[in-house]
Amino acid sequence: MHHFAYRDGALFAEDVDLTALADAVGTPAYVYSEATLRRHFRVFADAFAGADALVAYSVKANSNIAVLKTLAGEGAGADVVSGGELQRAIAAGIAPEKIVFSGVGKTGDEIAAGLDARILQFNVESAAELAAIDEIARARNAQAPIALRINPDVAAGGHEKISTGKKEDKFGVPWAEARDLYAKARAMKGVAVKGVDLHIGSQIDDLAPFEAAFTKIGGLIADLRADGCAIETLDLGGGLGIPYGEGAVPPHPDDYAEMIKRVTAPLNVKLIFEPGRMIAGNAGILLSRVLYVKDGEAKKFLIIDAGMNDLVRPAMYDAFHEIWPVVESSGGETVYDVVGPVCESSDRFAKDRKMAPLKAGDLVAIMSAGAYGAVQASQYNTRALVPEVLVNGDQYAIIRRRPTYEDITALEATPDWLP
Ligand code: LLP
């Protein structure tokens, strides 16, 4: 459930009228509801109340520092995948002992930064990375707490591009090599083996692949313990899907938690979770204004001022996002392709979408855009990054301003040989 709803035909974010907000901050703009962020975090955390569990919000989903501060206030930890995300998490006040560092390609500098910050654990994805971490830690007279990310070879995920748990995927240590690599890790002076990690994909709308993977990993933990390896933590990754208004309805966090408690109860481990989309996805919208209505030869196009550079999910993953009019109209229905201004045919938010008739100047809200929206934006076509706004009750604040042309070009330099 989220806090974007109509009041007398006008769409509000909590107690803020989105028409007034659009006039004040301009469009396009991302708008997040703080109450929704908090609510989603609590629903997830409460589902595991009583269990020894850390909810490490996956920063990649929405890394704005104000969003991170909101979640830090709820007790969230962080799952980071770069030195930049680590800095953001720390800047937002997330305690390092609640931070896990994931990702297949950590650089030496990033590993050193994680060690210096004394994070909870590195989720290690290969033998080569393990060796690098060992070496860097020894050079600093430190010991890196690690879990190996194991690839359970279970297919899951809403789209081929976001499935990560199959053996063809680049992620994780191959299942068949896991025990050997744990044995090697135990012999390394620069690492301290803490646990096991997995993450099988994103936007998963079915408990079955989770249960299959988690059960399999339970078996591995038993084998590792039989090998004499103490396993204290089990990081189950993220991946729980959200309703986008089309397709299957994902399981409720309570049902996800019930299954996990059942599967992991005999293991006696501290559980770590890395949810991203489930917390931020439905807490944000992309607010945009209709520029033109164009009657093409075969189609009617609604050309809006947001483009694929602002929200790439439809172009990149064929993702479905509901599009709501900000002012409800009295009726009728038109079929539109909703497109942006970018010079690419894939710059399309919806194809053959039935909507109330709209005209130039009207506002629309692209729903469920709080996760993997602003973070995946680019300045393609020299379009300024979209500002981000956080709503709290009847107040709002710009939490990332729209860059100026000078901001956009500030990092560029002209070589001496050009005029
Ligand atoms: N942990 C790891 C190791 C991950 O790779 C991911 C997401 C998560 C946690 C968080 O997963 P979530 O709970 O958000 O499903 N850009 C794509 C999604 C890519 C997901 C990448 N990894 C999209 O827009 O659908």
Side-chain angles (χ1 to χ4, degrees):
M1 204 213 83
H2 58 69
H3 292 76
F4 298 93
Y6 290 99
R7 292 187 190 170
D8 296 328
L11 188 59
F12 276 63
E14 302 188 21
D15 299 325
V16 172
D17 181 345
L18 287 170
T19 301
L21 183 73
D23 289 342
V25 307
T27 55
Y30 276 101
V31 183
Y32 309 133
S33 152
E34 189 177 314
T36 311
L37 286 167
R38 290 186 191 279
R39 180 173 196 284
H40 288 168
F41 183 85
R42 282 178 201 164
V43 166
F44 195 95
D46 289 353
F48 292 96
D52 185 8
L54 168 68
V55 183
Y57 167 68
S58 196
V59 171
K60 66 170 80 69
N62 185 324
S63 58
N64 189 291
I65 290 174
V67 169
L68 300 182
K69 279 193 173 165
T70 301
L71 297 172
E74 295 292 329
D79 160 47
V80 302
V81 291
S82 70
E85 285 191 353
L86 175 62
Q87 272 185 274
R88 280 180 182 274
I90 291 171
I94 296 177
E97 63 268 21
K98 288 185 177 178
I99 298 179
V100 296
F101 200 148
S102 306
V104 292
K106 302 174 194 76
T107 66
D109 285 349
E110 289 175 327
I111 293 165
L115 282 169
D116 291 350
R118 301 186 155 276
I119 61 166
L120 176 65
Q121 125 186 342
F122 290 88
N123 289 334
V124 181
E125 302 228 9
S126 64
E129 185 198 338
L130 182 66
I133 291 179
D134 176 45
E135 196 183 315
I136 294 165
R138 277 188 288 112
R140 304 172 101 76
N141 265 329
Q143 246 200 343
I146 64 113
L148 296 184
R149 175 171 174 181
I150 305 301
N151 185 326
D153 192 23
V154 169
H159 188 274
E160 174 213 348
K161 288 184 184 158
I162 52 177
S163 168
T164 54
K166 290 282 295 163
K167 59 172 177 269
E168 293 80 8
D169 298 320
K170 71 176 174 181
F171 300 97
V173 172
W175 183 261
E177 291 166 29
R179 280 173 90 168
D180 271 1
L181 199 56
Y182 270 101
K184 288 194 180 113
R186 285 173 63 206
M188 292 175 170
K189 296 219 157 30
V191 306
V193 174
K194 294 288 176 199
V196 179
D197 167 48
L198 79 162
H199 168 81
I200 57 173
S202 197
Q203 187 52 20
I204 300 172
D205 56 21
D206 177 8
L207 286 179
F210 284 123
E211 181 158 358
F214 299 167
T215 305
K216 212 170 160 184
I217 229 72
L220 176 67
I221 291 178
D223 289 344
L224 292 172
R225 286 178 172 160
D227 294 345
C229 192
I231 297 293
E232 298 160 24
T233 63
L234 172 56
D235 184 335
L236 297 174
L240 188 58
I242 61 166
Y244 276 100
E246 191 195 49
V249 178
H252 190 276
D254 286 345
D255 298 325
Y256 173 76
E258 185 280 319
M259 178 274 289
I260 289 173
K261 285 182 196 161
R262 176 163 46 76
V263 172
T264 62
L267 300 176
N268 194 22
V269 281
K270 174 191 174 81
L271 296 174
I272 302 172
F273 298 97
E274 304 171 352
R277 190 191 313 266
M278 194 269 145
I279 310 249
N282 280 322
I285 61 159
L286 177 56
L287 187 59
S288 177
R289 202 178 283 281
V290 177
L291 292 173
Y292 303 105
V293 179
K294 173 171 169 175
D295 286 306
E297 229 170 295
K299 288 188 172 240
K300 217 181 202 9
F301 295 101
L302 205 60
I303 303 174
I304 62 175
D305 64 2
M308 65 187 284
N309 67 300
D310 305 315
L311 175 66
V312 79
R313 301 195 69 258
M316 197 158 173
Y317 316 109
D318 305 312
F320 178 94
H321 286 260
E322 287 187 3
I323 302 177
W324 293 6
V326 168
V327 175
E328 276 182 311
S329 81
S330 45
E333 216 172 50
T334 308
V335 178
Y336 294 111
D337 270 17
V338 182
V339 302
V342 172
C343 304
E344 302 263 352
S345 297
S346 55
D347 184 24
R348 183 175 63 199
F349 293 108
K351 191 181 172 196
D352 299 326
R353 185 71 59 91
K354 280 191 195 134
M355 297 171 63
L358 289 165
K359 57 181 189 317
D362 287 347
L363 292 164
V364 292
I366 303 181
M367 307 304 290
S368 312
Y372 306 110
V375 284
Q376 289 193 266
S378 78
Q379 305 199 118
Y380 185 40
N381 283 198
T382 308
R383 290 167 48 79
L385 287 179
V386 166
E388 296 174 274
V389 178
L390 185 65
V391 168
N392 173 349
D394 61 1
Q395 32 170 4
Y396 69 84
I398 294 172
I399 57 173
R400 186 181 73 196
R401 68 174 171 83
R402 193 187 305 279
T404 61
Y405 171 75
E406 285 70 29
D407 291 330
I408 295 174
T409 52
L411 301 178
E412 295 175 29
T414 303
D416 293 344
W417 61 83
L418 291 177

